[in-house]
Amino acid sequence: MAHESGTPSNPATPLIPKAREGRAQHAAYVLLALCAAALYLAGEPVVHIARSFTSHFVALQIGALLKGICYLVEEIFHLETRHRGSFRRALSACLHLRWHVTLLLVCGSAYVALLDGDEQPLGLHLGLACLCQLLILALGLHKPSAVEISEMSERSKQNVAHGLAWSYYVGYLKIVLPRLKESMENIGRTNPNMLAHKETWKLHILVPLSCNICDDLEKADSNIQYAMDLPETTLTRAGTKKRVYRNTLYKIKDEDKFRFCVVEYATPLQSLYAMSQDECAAFSREDRIEQAKLFYRTLEEILQSAKECAGTYRLIVYEESGEAETHFLSREILRHLQQQRQEEYTVCDGTLCSTDLSLQISESDLPQPLRSDC
């Protein structure tokens, strides 16, 4: 028994990575507790441990200040274009000044109080800390890893995929999806045998992770044939009078019969593919695949939260095999059509929705007996 909430369960979705859930932060807490326990069990004097701890903490804060100063030197030359001519804005963009200075003063004072006759002067400690941190900056060892960059981009919603998914939804899907079922109903009245299965009255959106899109579906797979165009939606948008939005109904050959469905590629994937082919974009094949997966996940999240689009779409994500299969695409579409026909009910917005259920609702406002034979 299958459940659906916006988009049905898709066997291909294991290809799509889930959002990171902060396990790295949890691991840091666990390692922090283990490290503190190890220091406690080492049996060292508390004063020595406190002095070493504060010295390392001071070194880290000095490193953060030095890194901010290095970035500030660059930003000074971009005050007008990036920071509206404000040195203060540039400084706050490079440094969390209050936080770092406060920690530095507190830890520095604690370290001085715990020196306890150390033979090495305080200036030497500070000089060595600055030398070590500047060496790290010069060698580029302070730069975040690829995983950190990926996580920061995902959390801040600044990936290419996020912009493409939102643009695709706002500029296209939000317009055509709410009108789709009405168009399918109009065609179904004149062609009842063509659209017998109402559960497949959806826009089937193809999401190939390779981003390699063929403009003509009939050329991509000979088992996919043009049937007709759905009624047009005409709107005035962004200064264009009578802009036309149109979807196409295809018939998919299934052995000796045909299955009908509205299907098309997710057009923003063409942009990802074009970027990976252009040297100016500095967009590798690996970047393209990662962004394609993120595009699918973002689009799925957007559509699942859009109530007006519930039950009007089906995302078909797939990864093409290395072997050249003539009818791979039509088989993938047919598999999804078969899944939809086999699903016994759908769950929308936490309530049960089904055309097969017959609900007995009393027309009277008076209390009614619980027995059904009364």
Side-chain angles (χ1 to χ4, degrees):
M1 210 175 266
H3 300 260
E4 178 178 313
S5 178
T7 293
S9 56
N10 186 348
T13 50
L15 296 170
I16 308 303
K18 295 181 179 179
R20 294 182 176 93
E21 298 178 359
R23 295 185 182 90
Q25 189 70 26
H26 298 156
Y29 294 144
V30 173
L31 292 174
L32 179 63
L34 291 175
C35 186
L39 288 173
Y40 175 78
L41 295 174
E44 290 289 329
V46 177
V47 174
H48 292 171
I49 293 176
R51 185 172 62 189
S52 299
F53 174 80
T54 53
S55 68
H56 286 298
F57 216 95
V58 166
L60 290 174
Q61 296 309 310
I62 289 174
L65 285 172
L66 291 174
K67 184 174 73 171
I69 291 170
C70 292
Y71 282 118
L72 182 62
V73 170
E74 172 66 32
E75 295 306 302
I76 287 174
F77 293 91
H78 305 278
L79 288 180
E80 294 296 332
T81 56
R82 294 180 183 269
H83 305 285
R84 303 176 187 175
S86 172
F87 178 81
R88 185 177 180 179
R89 289 173 63 91
L91 183 62
S92 61
C94 297
L95 285 166
H96 298 290
L97 202 57
R98 292 181 181 178
W99 177 249
H100 288 311
V101 170
T102 302
L103 281 178
L104 185 60
L105 289 175
V106 171
C107 293
S109 301
Y111 179 71
V112 171
L114 293 168
L115 274 177
D116 195 20
D118 194 341
E119 296 179 357
Q120 294 180 331
L122 179 61
L124 180 60
H125 285 287
L126 295 177
L128 290 173
C130 292
L131 180 63
C132 291
Q133 295 296 336
L134 289 171
L135 186 61
I136 290 173
L137 291 172
L139 296 176
L141 302 178
H142 66 291
K143 295 180 180 178
S145 65
V147 170
E148 290 176 291
I149 294 173
S150 175
E151 184 177 15
M152 286 188 291
S153 298
E154 287 186 30
R155 286 183 180 275
S156 60
K157 309 295 184 185
Q158 291 178 347
N159 278 284
V160 174
H162 283 100
L164 289 177
W166 274 102
S167 176
Y168 186 46
Y169 167 70
V170 173
Y172 178 66
L173 295 180
K174 192 175 181 180
I175 298 170
V176 302
L177 288 181
R179 298 170 171 83
L180 183 68
K181 286 204 171 182
E182 183 181 351
S183 299
M184 300 290 281
E185 286 174 358
N186 294 334
I187 295 176
R189 292 191 193 100
T190 56
N191 303 276
N193 295 327
M194 182 185 295
L195 299 174
H197 302 284
K198 289 187 176 182
E199 60 271 15
T200 62
W201 289 8
K202 302 174 183 178
L203 176 60
H204 297 77
I205 304 172
L206 302 175
V207 185
L209 296 182
S210 66
C211 300
N212 194 1
I213 290 176
C214 183
D215 290 325
D216 193 339
L217 278 171
E218 293 176 296
K219 292 181 180 178
D221 191 324
S222 59
N223 281 351
I224 303 175
Q225 300 176 20
Y226 170 82
M228 64 172 65
D229 289 325
L230 268 62
E232 297 177 351
T233 297
T234 305
L235 297 173
T236 298
R237 295 275 293 180
T240 301
K241 298 287 187 179
K242 298 180 180 179
R243 177 168 288 182
V244 176
Y245 297 87
R246 178 193 302 161
N247 301 105
T248 302
L249 184 70
Y250 287 91
K251 52 183 181 180
I252 317 297
K253 188 175 182 181
D254 184 9
E255 296 179 352
D256 57 343
K257 54 185 176 296
F258 286 99
R259 307 290 186 187
F260 292 86
C261 70
V262 181
V263 61
E264 61 187 49
Y265 284 105
T267 50
L269 297 180
Q270 287 182 315
S271 300
L272 290 177
Y273 188 82
M275 289 174 65
S276 67
Q277 302 299 308
D278 195 322
E279 293 182 359
C280 296
F283 202 69
S284 67
R285 178 182 176 276
E286 289 74 19
D287 292 333
R288 183 185 73 205
I289 294 174
E290 181 184 358
Q291 292 298 309
K293 292 179 178 180
L294 190 58
F295 169 83
Y296 172 87
R297 198 180 80 200
T298 306
L299 183 61
E300 185 179 43
E301 292 172 356
I302 294 170
L303 290 173
Q304 284 179 349
S305 63
K307 294 182 180 180
E308 68 273 16
C309 298
T312 62
Y313 66 93
R314 177 93 175 189
L315 298 179
I316 303 178
V317 60
Y318 60 91
E319 191 171 33
E320 296 171 335
S321 60
E323 302 175 0
E325 297 185 44
T326 309
H327 302 300
F328 169 80
L329 187 56
S330 60
R331 285 201 301 271
E332 191 72 16
I333 297 172
L334 286 171
R335 183 170 64 83
H336 280 265
L337 293 176
Q338 183 67 20
Q339 279 184 353
Q340 292 172 85
R341 290 196 297 271
Q342 290 175 348
E343 287 163 0
E344 297 186 21
Y345 61 84
T346 59
V347 176
C348 306
D349 299 329
T351 59
L352 188 63
C353 309
S354 175
T355 56
D356 299 331
L357 294 177
S358 177
L359 301 179
Q360 297 180 353
I361 302 174
S362 173
E363 296 179 357
S364 173
D365 293 333
L366 298 175
Q368 299 295 315
L370 296 177
R371 292 180 58 187
S372 61
D373 57 349
C374 296

